Amino acid sequence: MSKKKITVILFVCLLALYGYFNNIQISEFSNIQQATTAIIPTDVMSDNNLSNVTEKTVNQQTSNADVTGDIDTFSCLSALAYDIEEMEALDEKINEQFQKIDESFSIEDAFNYAVFATPPKDKDRLDLLLAYQQSSPSNPIVGNGIITSCIKSPDDRCTNETIADAINTDRNNGATWLSAILFYAANKDDDKVISAITELEKTSFFNERFGEIALSYAQALEGKADTNFSLNAMSGIGKSASYYLPAYSPMTKWCKTDINNIGKASYCLSLGEQLETRSKTLISTMIGFALQETVYEAQQNNDARALVNKRSEEALKGSEAFQRVNLMIMLDERLTRSWLKNIDIYGEIGAQEILIQEAEALYEQNDNYLCSMVYNLLDSF
């Protein structure tokens, strides 16, 4: 055991003993209402419904976090106990686990291998995704992964037919059409870019499935590696960002080229507004702001540009309460699961507000003393 780990464990244990011997009062937990919508399938929910549900959920301080059942008192301690060297070793162990499931014939394991395993030396991510799609052609994460892979690494297999098949896995999702827009922009196909923007505007929901991918990664490792769920989920976020968030530069370049063309500017402005108001990830939202500013700057519309800039700054402001609870996402599995699910429903900003309320409710209940103690300690910094 490293000195870093021992120091952290002793520090936390001493704090726990201090609280115990000083008879820290544990407040009674008032019943937490379940969310007005449990986790709603994103493929059957419209943006209008989402906005209404978000407002109602936040106002009622409801919670998606699981506060029932057995809770491991020392679950927070296990997450605190990892040091850098051990994390590197765990990364190797996790990769070995994904390599092993290549031999499995189950659909779930095949999906995990295609999406998360490090490709063999003679293959790349696109090879794994295309192979999976041949046997299971309707998975939306794989479909979008194919498009984003084709954006980042042009390949002869990335034909219009391949992209069309990938779009069909999730064609009512605005995020799918965003990926298609980026692919067509990278290939300088103006007509298809414009057509895809029009299709995006028609979609009933927009979900990059960022939280779903991270949760899938963590769940794939449950029972297969001696790791912490929350830390695995954080690693899954890295996987989601590196492999499955698209490269936005083709779109920004497309809009900046010939931006004084009124027709083209209107499409770029529309796309920017769609990303600002409908996307779930903060990076997509910020790209939406950037596209709008590009258009307004070219039009010398300083007033409109200033308003967009103001909304952009507001979106980037993280509340102090969220900074406090942010660490708890990595320590408390209940918050980890709930936060990742909420990202795909309410977006990163909405999920932050709900997370703050969930943390307050969970730690008032105080059924995990160590997590509650760490949470309250953070208020001192």
Side-chain angles (χ1 to χ4, degrees):
M1 181 179 292
S2 70
K3 293 181 180 179
K4 292 180 182 178
K5 179 191 284 190
I6 293 172
T7 301
V8 171
I9 292 176
L10 286 176
F11 176 68
V12 173
C13 289
L14 286 171
L15 285 173
L17 288 172
Y18 176 84
Y20 176 79
F21 286 113
N22 283 276
N23 296 317
I24 292 178
Q25 297 297 317
I26 300 176
S27 60
E28 291 293 328
F29 175 66
S30 58
N31 292 331
I32 301 175
Q33 300 174 344
Q34 292 299 322
T36 50
T37 59
I39 298 303
I40 303 175
T42 52
D43 56 347
V44 296
M45 178 172 265
S46 70
D47 289 329
N48 290 333
N49 288 338
L50 286 178
S51 62
N52 293 334
V53 170
T54 304
E55 182 178 0
K56 189 173 183 180
T57 302
V58 171
N59 289 341
Q60 291 187 352
Q61 295 188 348
T62 56
S63 173
N64 280 329
D66 181 12
V67 296
T68 61
D70 295 332
I71 297 175
D72 182 2
T73 303
F74 293 98
S75 60
C76 282
L77 185 61
S78 63
L80 285 169
Y82 288 105
D83 60 23
I84 295 175
E85 291 180 358
E86 285 182 315
M87 289 301 294
E88 291 176 350
L90 282 173
D91 285 341
E92 290 293 326
K93 188 173 183 179
I94 288 171
N95 187 53
E96 289 177 6
Q97 293 295 331
F98 283 119
Q99 296 297 335
K100 290 178 181 178
I101 62 177
D102 181 30
E103 301 174 0
S104 172
F105 292 97
S106 76
I107 294 177
E108 181 181 359
D109 281 348
F111 167 82
N112 291 332
Y113 177 75
V115 175
F116 300 124
T118 300
K121 292 182 180 180
D122 59 338
K123 294 182 179 180
D124 58 17
R125 179 67 55 194
L126 185 59
D127 286 306
L128 303 188
L129 295 173
L130 288 173
Y132 179 86
Q133 192 185 45
Q134 288 180 357
S135 59
S136 303
S138 60
N139 188 286
I141 291 176
V142 172
N144 193 62
I146 290 171
I147 303 174
T148 56
S149 294
C150 287
I151 298 168
K152 297 175 182 179
S153 303
D155 190 291
D156 290 341
R157 294 168 294 177
C158 297
T159 63
N160 285 335
E161 182 180 0
T162 298
I163 301 302
D165 289 341
I167 290 172
N168 284 333
T169 63
D170 206 15
R171 67 177 302 107
N172 201 35
N173 184 351
T176 302
W177 287 105
L178 171 61
S179 296
I181 290 166
L182 296 170
F183 172 79
Y184 296 134
N187 286 276
K188 299 179 173 58
D189 192 333
D190 291 4
D191 290 340
K192 285 192 176 295
V193 170
I194 292 171
S195 177
I197 291 174
T198 302
E199 291 296 331
L200 186 154
E201 294 170 345
K202 297 176 185 176
T203 57
S204 62
F205 74 102
F206 194 116
N207 180 12
E208 294 94 326
R209 301 185 185 276
F210 189 74
E212 182 181 348
I213 294 171
L215 274 175
S216 296
Y217 179 84
Q219 289 168 349
L221 292 171
E222 286 188 296
K224 294 183 179 179
D226 183 20
T227 56
N228 175 275
F229 180 90
S230 294
L231 292 180
N232 287 342
M234 296 304 105
S235 179
I237 289 176
K239 294 282 186 181
S240 182
S242 61
Y243 293 147
Y244 300 105
L245 281 184
Y248 296 91
S249 58
M251 189 65 231
T252 57
K253 290 178 181 177
W254 188 84
C255 283
K256 288 179 179 179
T257 303
D258 198 21
I259 191 61
N260 292 317
N261 181 304
I262 296 176
K264 189 173 188 178
S266 67
Y267 283 111
C268 291
L269 188 60
S270 174
L271 178 59
E273 291 169 348
Q274 290 281 320
L275 294 181
E276 176 191 350
T277 59
R278 299 181 62 200
S279 64
K280 298 300 183 290
T281 62
L282 187 57
I283 186 172
S284 292
T285 303
M286 300 311 297
I287 293 297
F289 288 129
L291 291 176
Q292 292 177 72
E293 286 198 61
T294 297
V295 174
Y296 289 134
E297 181 180 14
Q299 295 175 346
Q300 297 183 342
N301 189 338
N302 294 328
D303 290 340
R305 187 183 178 193
L307 288 174
V308 172
N309 186 259
K310 183 178 180 180
R311 296 198 302 272
S312 174
E313 290 177 351
E314 287 295 320
L316 283 174
K317 282 184 180 178
S319 67
E320 291 184 6
F322 180 70
Q323 298 305 320
R324 177 190 178 195
V325 78
N326 194 29
L327 176 63
M328 301 309 300
I329 299 173
M330 294 184 288
L331 302 180
D332 195 328
E333 181 179 328
R334 298 168 297 177
L335 290 181
T336 308
R337 290 180 182 272
S338 180
W339 177 64
L340 289 174
K341 290 176 182 177
N342 284 335
I343 285 177
D344 287 350
I345 299 176
Y346 309 112
E348 283 192 67
I349 297 173
Q352 287 180 8
E353 295 302 316
I354 295 172
L355 182 71
I356 292 167
Q357 296 170 15
E358 287 181 338
E360 290 294 332
L362 286 174
Y363 301 132
E364 281 180 15
Q365 180 182 5
N366 216 352
D367 54 5
N368 186 317
Y369 182 72
L370 186 57
C371 286
S372 298
M373 181 200 64
V374 172
Y375 179 71
N376 291 325
L377 180 65
L378 291 173
D379 197 30
S380 303
F381 293 95

